Amino acid sequence: MLRIIAPLAPNDQRAELFAGVFLVSYLAYGLPALAAGELIGTIGLLPTALGYAAAVAVAASVAMVVQIIRLVGSGRVAGQGAEPVREPVRPGR
């Protein structure tokens, strides 16, 4: 991902870009773990694990629905402008 976004920022602003990307990444992984650690003491391990799994499932479902809506809106549904998958040509065959 960094190879994709690095050329978008001027050379003198790449440090700020990378700092922002890493900050969001660390918070995305760290805050749920801290929250789960606090909840384990309050409600127990099993309810915390089930709640965490439910939250992950909801987030994944929302992401999937958003991607489907974007694909349908752009017209790139299978059979409607999508590129066919082709086998790579191997030398000697």
Side-chain angles (χ1 to χ4, degrees):
M1 182 183 84
L2 294 177
R3 282 189 184 169
I4 295 170
I5 63 172
L8 301 176
N11 289 337
D12 62 334
Q13 295 178 350
R14 285 195 183 147
E16 290 92 357
L17 175 68
F18 289 161
V21 168
F22 288 127
L23 176 68
V24 170
S25 298
Y26 291 141
L27 288 176
Y29 286 110
L31 290 180
L34 290 173
E38 290 296 321
L39 286 174
I40 287 173
T42 306
I43 62 173
L45 177 60
L46 183 60
T48 300
L50 292 175
Y52 190 81
V56 169
V58 167
S61 299
V62 168
M64 183 177 64
V65 168
V66 168
Q67 288 299 315
I68 290 171
I69 291 171
R70 289 179 65 192
L71 282 173
V72 170
S74 69
R76 291 196 59 192
V77 180
Q80 297 179 357
E83 290 291 323
V85 177
R86 296 192 177 120
E87 295 273 334
V89 177
R90 295 189 178 111
R93 288 191 176 188

